[in-house]
Amino acid sequence: MIRQSRNIDAVLASLLVAFVLLLLGLLRPALAQEPLPSWNDTSAKTRIMEFVQRSVTEGGEGYVAPVDRIAVFDNDGTLWSEQPYYFQLGFVLDRVQRLAPQHPEWKEKEPYKSVLANDLAGVARNGEKELVDLGMATHAGMTTDEFNKIVTDWFATARHPKTGKPFDEMTFLPMRELLEYLRANGFRTFIVSGGGIEFMRPITEKAYGIPPEQVIGSTIRTEFALVGNVPVLRRLPAIDFIDDGPGKPVGINQFIGRRPVFVAGNSDGDYDMLRWVTGGKQHGFAMIIHHTDGEREYAYDRNSAFGRLDKALNEAERRNWLVVDMKADWKKVYAFEN
């Protein structure tokens, strides 16, 4: 009996070894898959991968300690589309339509009148104060939990006007691969966007694998209050912080506390962030997404009302910022492409 038991154990051990070897054989192709598969084999992909490899090679000139491997990304136009208008503007327009029955005065008052008439050009002609009022009317007057639910419900139903896809599916596949590639090499990835922080937070983890605490954005004032005996945070109709232009480096310093070594943007709103990251002692890596593909996405730069890219594009070569040509450098733009 003892000998038979030992024989059975030996057989089971052999089967286990064979299973493990088979499993490793099946996994090997996946493990060996080349990083950034949706990127074409151009100099852009090469430069990114060379930077990452230098960053993780101990003893090398470009080595970056794990604690300093911080990468920051703009959102609109960098991680997802921003045309024909910013997605948060789409949310604002829908909110005005939904709230209009409670505000009959909006029919004759700008900028609400233009919104209700679906006149985007008319909305754009209004001054900054009117546009801020539009944002306050649609983003304030509720608790943070209530706003989170409103945003989540909107993303579940709203559709992009060109593709008909949900807005949170309009993310750029090559950039999602880049986020994963950086994280696989010990980088922490953050969003630093001019968009509203509480507009982005409900969907960034699902869309990009970036948790809410690693999202920096523009904010409105909030206050603690008791409703009955329930503690809440109430959103007030007042701007607290604008995370755009020179506000981006300020936000990075305030909320991260370390200068990143990798930055990606797509517009002049990211210019100061690009300068900040590449101006440090470690000479960080900077890249600009240049929207050159009018067929698969949109083609625009210097004259666009959304995501204008002019000054940063002019200085990119001199400052050694990588300009990613969407048409030439990306095999696919969206995951849903054939």
Side-chain angles (χ1 to χ4, degrees), residues 44-57 62-64 68-71 178 181-182 185 187 260-263 277 282-286 322:
K45 179 178 179 178
T46 300
R47 283 184 59 180
I48 292 169
M49 294 181 64
E50 286 178 347
F51 168 78
V52 171
Q53 292 309 306
R54 287 196 303 271
S55 299
V56 301
T57 302
Y63 177 69
V64 179
D68 292 320
R69 291 178 202 165
I70 295 172
L178 176 56
Y181 177 56
L182 289 169
N185 283 278
F187 283 79
V261 295
F262 187 102
V263 58
V277 172
Q282 291 186 296
H283 303 293
F285 185 95
L322 169 65

Side-chain angles (χ1 to χ4, degrees), residues 96-114:
V96 170
Q97 297 284 355
R98 184 177 294 271
L99 295 172
Q102 305 171 31
H103 299 274
E105 72 278 9
W106 284 0
K107 293 180 181 179
E108 301 301 327
K109 181 181 179 181
E110 291 291 2
Y112 307 98
K113 181 179 178 180
S114 293

